[in-house]
Every structure is written in structure tokens, then in C-alpha cells.
Amino acid sequence: MAVETVHVGRRIRVEVNTLSTADGRIIRRDAIRHPGAVVILPVLDAERVVLLRNFRFVIGETLWEVPAGTVEPNEPLEACARRELLEETGYSAAKWRSLDFIYASPGVLDEKLHLFVAEELTPGEAKPEPDEQLEPVIVRLDDAIRMCLDGTIRDAKTITSLLLWERMSRE
């Protein structure tokens, strides 16, 4: 396989890969390489979670999301999750659970989204990045699930986190 890097950005690298199929055809595939991210569902109690209203420049919309952020080189996943939770919501958590990982869009992107649940939260002051427009909002879990099902929440990592947690908390 031949790999040509066509762009290197702040968080991603874009490649064009040339490879042979099993029947000998030569094909080209675009690939976006990403270092991975953490996704955090902050759970206040059995009935309430913390979501963000987050303006996303790429789509020009404000979305309902859970906190998330890119893993820095050699940064342990839970340390990244703790950092992102504090930066984006102001909360710190005494209890952490991993829900494993999902792929965001594996047809073009290799990003792994490592899912965490943060519990036993202590409030504090949020310190978002200068380019982030975030508003933490406390939402009832049943309302958040309804928002997933009626299309109010459109962010895949948020829908996945909420539905996994809702199912796990019933068991």
C-alpha cells in the first residue's frame, strides 16, 4: 500500500492510500487520521446529567453534546477525560467508568471515541478553550433520552453515551 499525506492540520492528517484489492485491482481511498478522543457523560444523580450547548463552526449550528476532547500525545485516557470534564463543565468526578470505545465514521476516519461516565460530581469553574462556545446545562435523563429519540440531539457520541447509560442504569 502506498500512502501520500496531502494535508496536516492541527488535529488531523489527511492521506490518500493506494492499494490492491483481493482480485488485483488498484484503488485509492482517502483517510483522515486522528489521535483519538474522550467522551464524558457527567451523571449528577439517577435522574440528571450535564449536557453542553456547543456551537460547532464546521456545521454552523449549536448542538446538544456531552463533553469531549482530543487526547494529547502520550496522555492517559482517564487523565484526558478528567481534564476535558473540568475545562468544559467545571465539574470534577470522584468515580469514573469506561464504556469502551466507538468509531466516529470508519469509512473515512480512524478516530476512536473512548466513552466514559463521570459520577460523584463536584461543581467548579469551567475553563473552555478560547475558541469554544459552551454552555453546560443540567438535563433530566428521561428528557435527554427523549431528545435523542425525537432528533433534538443529533450528535452521535452523545446519543450513544446517553442510550448506553440509560440501558446500563436500568440493569
Side-chain angles (χ1 to χ4, degrees):
M1 177 169 70
V3 177
E4 177 189 1
T5 299
V6 295
H7 174 75
V8 176
R10 189 172 68 107
R11 299 266 189 222
I12 63 164
R13 185 177 76 249
V14 181
E15 300 173 349
V16 176
N17 298 281
T18 304
L19 55 139
S20 299
T21 63
D23 64 3
R25 288 181 295 134
I26 303 298
I27 61 172
R28 290 170 47 103
R29 293 287 184 259
D30 299 332
I32 302 169
R33 304 300 180 187
H34 188 282
V38 294
V39 175
I40 308 105
L41 176 62
V43 175
L44 282 171
D45 54 42
E47 278 122 32
R48 300 176 303 152
V49 296
V50 180
L51 299 180
L52 299 172
R53 299 278 296 142
N54 187 2
F55 178 76
R56 290 296 188 170
F57 169 78
V58 171
I59 60 169
E61 292 183 32
T62 299
L63 299 178
W64 286 97
E65 296 185 36
V66 290
T70 302
V71 178
E72 297 296 335
N74 302 312
E75 183 178 29
L77 295 174
E78 190 174 309
C80 181
R82 288 178 184 280
R83 174 178 55 77
E84 290 293 339
L85 178 65
L86 184 60
E87 284 178 10
E88 295 189 357
T89 69
Y91 285 98
S92 55
K95 183 176 178 185
W96 289 87
R97 293 187 208 196
S98 171
L99 300 180
D100 211 346
F101 71 89
I102 59 173
Y103 289 106
S105 183
V108 69
L109 174 65
D110 71 351
E111 179 183 24
K112 283 184 180 179
L113 297 169
H114 301 273
L115 308 177
F116 288 91
V117 173
E119 298 176 277
E120 299 177 15
L121 302 180
T122 303
E125 183 182 340
K127 297 178 176 105
E129 301 281 334
D131 63 339
E132 292 178 319
Q133 298 176 29
L134 305 173
E135 176 193 356
V137 180
I138 296 171
V139 178
R140 291 183 47 79
L141 180 59
D142 57 350
D143 290 337
I145 298 302
R146 178 190 49 74
M147 293 164 69
C148 289
L149 299 175
D150 72 12
T152 302
I153 296 177
R154 296 190 179 276
D155 175 65
K157 69 185 179 303
T158 301
I159 293 168
T160 302
S161 298
L162 285 165
L163 294 179
L164 280 172
W165 179 247
E166 192 266 344
R167 176 54 59 110
M168 288 175 61
S169 63
R170 284 194 284 148
E171 295 175 354

